[in-house]
Amino acid sequence: MNIAKPNSYRSGPDERGHFGIFGGRFVAETLMPLILDLEKAYTAAKADPAFQAEMNGYLKNYVGRPSPLYFAERLTEHLGGAKIYLKREELNHTGSHKVNNVLGQIMLARRMGKKRIIAETGAGQHGVATATLCARFGLECVVYMGAVDVERQQPNVIRMEMLGATVMPVQSGTRTLKDAMNEALRDWVTNVHNTFYCIGTVAGPHPYPTLVRDFQSIIGNETKAQMQEVEGRLPDSLVACIGGGSNAMGLFHPFLDDPSVEIFGVEAAGHGLTQLHAASIAGGRPGVLHGNRTYLLMDADGQIQDAHSISAGLDYPGIGPEHSWLHEVGRVNYLSATDDEALAAFQLLSKLEGIIPALEPAHAIAKVMELAPKRPKDHLMVVNLSGRGDKDVPQVGDILRGKSK
Amino acid sequence: MTTRIDTRFAELKKQGRAAFVTYVMAGDPDITTSLEIVKALPKAGAEIIELGIPFTDPMADGPSIQAAGLRALKGGMTLKKTLELVRAFRKDDNATPLVLMGYYNPIYIYGVDKFLADAKSAGVDGLIVVDLPPEEDDELCIPALKAGLNFIRLATPTTDDKRLPAVLTNTSGFVYYVSIAGITGAAAADANVVGEAVARIKRHTGLPICVGFGIRTPEAARAIAEKADGSVVGTALVDALKNSLDAEGRATAKTVNAVAELTAALAQGVKAAKQAAE
Ligand SMILES: Cc1ncc(COP(=O)(O)O)c(C=O)c1O
């Protein structure tokens, strides 16, 4: 594809929320005034030092930031190539990177005077983070979750309920994340006057992809400083898994204008790219869904297709619009890992490092297993360990026991 | 340009009546039955037809219309076949305005220019695309107006006076006022509250204003027709269709009649309305 390279990969979106042809605001009229209000509130908050100071306080003392940048010595030895560092987002309060974004959005909701928060969730990590901060600030919380995901992510459903949230199992469509997002949008249209929609990834109508990216960029900013401290230079490559793409965008964004840094996003290839999968860039094309134009899995008639991944958090037929743009301008390499590869990586990291990863970042580890051996020993590779595997222990346990029989 | 929609509203104005607008899903529950239903609507008293384009993820619709879309898709409906259905309808009816209503993605994938040309030649008069606000007018609205199709925009209770001009700028044919902040099939709005909203919009535009969402009965259709230039009924017709299906979701001998009978009853309601003096 012949697209002009921009002067900066970090300057988007334009004032209408577009990254190239991607992004935008494709929502029902009922929501437009709200989205415009949100954009105004966010612009004001960003410029307000009090907002930043309050956020920084909670990030440090409630979330537990900065998260460590850990040198994975045994994994490095095992793979015999690049020096592998893990950005430990799984050590955050609630167990994943999702809390960074939710904190930001809940702070915004408070500024906007909204008392009722809704969210959609796949793996349940975004739902848990939202339920947690709603509990902390005394806000009503309703989480939409596909009925299939309610089944396979029971520990997180129980956590959300303990935190006082109402979990609404979604029975429509494929009963996974995309349907949860549809239901959340329906709730929002119905309750616009008092409700704030806390979106869990860098997707949705403008300004969500931007504000979620900004809140998650703390991951990349910390990584830059930490790598400077331990190695005295920039990393040579970054690897992160992609559901909607928020943990990846958070790690990548601060490095986009550093040309020496190779960047890899890893989509879920499910049973394989020619079968059921969730790799929107590898297997999709540009379309319009959930308020933005982006790469989507769909049939010839523009009907959205079912995504599949072993990981509920990656099981989404789309991807954030900024990723679609970064793919088309060629700044980020999008790869994919299958269910089986992710399972193997899940076990490898657990056994070698004593860290049980969530199934989502296990996809990133799977590609590290491929990439790292091909890189020299002085190559610095950072993997975003976006979440811990507690939520996946029952599911993976069943699979491994089933297999060993 | 004068479209069938403009002509129809001019006729109704002469008669001092509001329009009765019906919504059904193209291809629900199968393509053949759907054509029969669409043909039956004007005979039963529908003055404007809205035909839903099925989509897997209709974010602004309730369970009834979502299920109708999935039935249609299961029955093999596509956007191309939706246009063929319109063409077949036009063979015997050259007067009833027909508006396609749906979401942008199937149109975007079909190709905007090709879609507009094919829709125009099939006999489509207007478009309602729920997820294209005025902020995205360049996508489809402006090309549609150039192609000679009306682009009908939704105004909602959250569309305040400051925003209304933006919503109305490129709107033509009529304005669709969504009487509640919510999805299709939700509870009905109070006719008096709707009346105030219609009066407010009328201060900004000379276009006819049709009101929909939540109207299910002849009485409700009548109450709205007394306040607006048209009453729109969708979910109630879709539900009547659904209730006529067999256990496997297939059409029965009762299906076409079930929709036609409710249409006739609702049309009577609208006809009985006394129009508000303007
Ligand atoms: C631990 C973890 N990583 C990654 C993801 C995928 O989301 P994103 O691509 O927005 O980071 C999820 C989503 O639930 C998650 O729980």
Side-chain angles (χ1 to χ4, degrees):
Chain A
M1 202 157 291
N2 226 345
I3 290 178
K5 298 271 181 281
N7 291 327
S8 167
Y9 291 101
R10 302 188 62 195
S11 56
D14 67 17
E15 70 286 352
R16 289 166 61 209
H18 295 144
F19 303 92
I21 68 159
F22 300 104
R25 277 183 290 224
F26 298 88
V27 293
E29 170 60 23
T30 313
L31 296 179
M32 274 312 296
L34 272 289
I35 284 172
L36 297 172
D37 280 355
L38 173 62
E39 191 184 4
K40 252 189 254 154
Y42 179 55
T43 308
K46 228 179 1 184
D48 179 357
F51 180 80
Q52 297 298 342
E54 194 182 13
M55 278 242 343
N56 289 339
Y58 286 108
L59 283 168
K60 179 161 181 260
N61 299 312
Y62 192 73
V63 174
R65 302 205 70 93
S67 71
L69 183 70
Y70 163 73
F71 171 48
E73 194 175 353
R74 292 195 68 210
L75 183 65
T76 298
E77 254 169 41
H78 178 83
L79 295 176
K83 239 178 136 172
I84 300 159
Y85 282 86
L86 306 180
K87 181 60 176 162
R88 304 284 308 271
E89 291 299 301
E90 101 283 8
L91 292 178
N92 294 338
H93 181 44
T94 74
S96 82
H97 68 294
K98 298 283 179 189
V99 69
N100 305 325
N101 162 48
V102 172
L103 173 67
Q105 289 198 49
I106 294 298
M107 293 295 192
L108 265 181
R110 278 158 52 82
R111 269 177 88 98
M112 296 176 77
K114 304 283 182 186
K115 301 263 185 285
R116 179 173 181 270
I117 308 295
I118 58 170
E120 84 295 334
T121 197
Q125 286 307 113
H126 174 60
V128 167
T130 307
T132 298
L133 283 154
C134 286
R136 169 62 187 78
F137 291 107
L139 301 166
E140 183 188 346
C141 181
V142 177
V143 181
Y144 290 90
M145 188 168 184
V148 169
D149 295 335
V150 168
E151 278 303 307
R152 60 178 167 174
Q153 300 285 335
Q154 268 301 313
N156 274 343
V157 174
I158 297 166
R159 283 164 85 194
M160 286 185 267
E161 288 172 351
M162 284 175 175
L163 291 159
T166 307
V167 179
M168 304 283 287
V170 174
Q171 301 292 352
S172 61
T174 52
R175 300 183 293 150
T176 57
L177 183 54
K178 103 181 152 76
D179 307 286
M181 195 149 181
N182 288 335
E183 281 312 312
L185 284 162
R186 290 180 181 128
D187 179 313
W188 201 22
V189 171
T190 308
N191 299 295
V192 266
H193 54 286
N194 69 344
T195 297
F196 185 99
Y197 180 15
C198 181
I199 294 188
T201 192
V202 284
H206 177 65
Y208 281 103
T210 306
L211 68 87
V212 176
R213 171 198 77 195
D214 293 351
F215 292 138
Q216 290 294 3
S217 288
I218 191 164
I219 302 172
N221 286 326
E222 281 178 9
T223 299
K224 225 175 197 181
Q226 290 166 324
M227 194 57 106
Q228 195 58 243
E229 199 174 306
V230 290
E231 297 276 1
R233 64 181 183 92
L234 288 173
D236 299 300
S237 61
L238 307 172
V239 188
C241 69
I242 306 231
S246 68
N247 86 86
M249 194 56 73
L251 176 64
F252 299 169
H253 205 259
F255 293 97
L256 289 177
D257 286 338
D258 297 310
S260 68
V261 182
E262 278 185 286
I263 307 183
F264 301 95
V266 184
E267 299 189 299
H271 298 318
L273 289 179
T274 54
Q275 302 172 53
L276 276 176
H277 63 84
S280 323
I281 284 189
R285 61 214 157 95
V288 174
L289 181 72
H290 292 154
N292 59 169
R293 178 172 12 235
T294 193
Y295 273 68
L296 297 171
L297 300 181
M298 56 190 156
D299 70 11
D301 194 39
Q303 305 297 337
I304 307 305
Q305 279 179 329
D306 299 358
H308 164 80
S309 168
I310 190 173
S311 144
L314 305 184
D315 198 348
Y316 179 68
I319 182 170
E322 194 167 6
H323 284 292
S324 295
W325 178 75
L326 288 168
H327 164 66
E328 290 207 342
V329 296
R331 177 64 186 98
V332 176
N333 284 305
Y334 291 88
L335 312 170
S336 57
T338 63
D339 288 352
D340 288 344
E341 290 171 323
L343 272 173
F346 178 99
Q347 295 171 78
L348 186 75
L349 192 72
S350 301
K351 297 221 164 104
L352 284 181
E353 295 290 351
I355 296 172
I356 300 178
L359 280 171
E360 290 81 5
H363 286 73
I365 304 288
K367 288 297 113 165
V368 168
M369 287 162 65
E370 237 173 72
L371 294 167
K374 296 182 192 140
R375 299 291 186 280
K377 289 203 186 297
D378 61 352
H379 180 104
L380 306 177
M381 183 175 281
V382 178
V383 201
N384 201 4
L385 202 64
S386 57
R388 58 179 173 247
D390 306 25
K391 70 183 174 65
D392 299 316
V393 164
Q395 189 194 357
V396 176
D398 284 351
I399 294 170
L400 296 181
R401 260 182 267 130
K403 267 195 179 157
S404 62
K405 258 183 221 154
Chain B
M1 119 198 140
T2 304
T3 63
R4 287 190 193 91
I5 298 174
D6 303 330
T7 308
R8 172 77 17 125
F9 276 108
E11 288 164 10
L12 287 165
K13 192 167 183 171
K14 251 189 243 157
Q15 299 170 28
R17 291 203 301 116
F20 175 44
V21 185
T22 56
Y23 170 97
V24 291
M25 178 65 76
D28 177 23
D30 63 75
I31 298 173
T32 315
T33 310
S34 183
L35 176 60
E36 281 183 57
I37 289 171
V38 177
K39 283 182 176 174
L41 292 173
K43 295 189 183 103
E47 277 134 348
I48 298 176
I49 296 172
E50 288 177 8
L51 190 58
I53 304 170
F55 183 49
T56 39
D57 293 80
M59 286 131 31
D61 284 298
S64 290
I65 289 180
Q66 178 169 29
L70 295 178
R71 280 195 298 272
L73 291 172
K74 205 169 142 220
M77 203 52 176
T78 62
L79 181 50
K80 186 159 174 277
K81 289 178 183 162
T82 300
L83 295 176
E84 285 164 14
L85 193 157
V86 176
R87 198 178 287 279
F89 167 77
R90 276 282 169 251
K91 280 194 191 137
D92 327 310
D93 186 329
N94 201 32
T96 306
L98 193 144
V99 173
L100 291 183
M101 179 163 186
Y103 294 80
Y104 184 40
N105 198 52
I107 296 172
Y108 179 66
I109 295 306
Y110 192 98
V112 165
D113 292 340
K114 181 169 159 30
F115 168 75
L116 291 173
D118 291 357
K120 181 78 188 164
S121 88
V124 171
D125 303 294
L127 304 174
I128 299 176
V129 184
V130 179
D131 52 354
L132 284 180
E135 282 73 6
E136 304 290 349
D137 264 359
D138 297 345
E139 293 282 336
L140 182 66
C141 171
I142 290 169
L145 296 177
K146 283 195 187 130
L149 289 163
N150 288 129
F151 198 86
I152 294 139
R153 182 107 53 213
L154 306 181
T156 70
T158 59
T159 315
D160 59 16
D161 279 319
K162 220 171 80 220
R163 184 166 168 79
L164 257 177
V167 168
L168 295 170
T169 298
N170 292 317
T171 299
S172 67
F174 61 93
V175 178
Y176 188 135
Y177 182 67
V178 175
S179 63
I180 47 156
I183 53 177
T184 52
D190 182 300
N192 289 323
V193 176
V194 169
E196 283 164 31
V198 169
R200 177 166 73 85
I201 298 171
K202 286 223 180 253
R203 289 199 289 274
H204 294 265
T205 180
L207 287 171
I209 297 163
C210 296
V211 176
F213 281 44
I215 305 173
R216 302 190 66 92
T217 62
E219 296 71 37
R222 172 182 175 161
I224 294 295
E226 287 175 354
K227 307 285 183 188
D229 303 302
S231 283
V232 190
V233 178
T235 297
L237 294 171
V238 169
D239 286 345
L241 184 155
K242 189 198 85 186
N243 293 336
S244 76
L245 302 177
D246 69 14
E248 270 81 58
R250 288 173 308 211
T252 63
K254 284 185 266 175
T255 299
V256 176
N257 257 344
V259 179
E261 276 166 23
L262 181 56
T263 301
L266 290 159
Q268 282 311 313
V270 173
K271 287 204 176 104
K274 287 187 276 298
Q275 273 271 276
E278 277 181 42

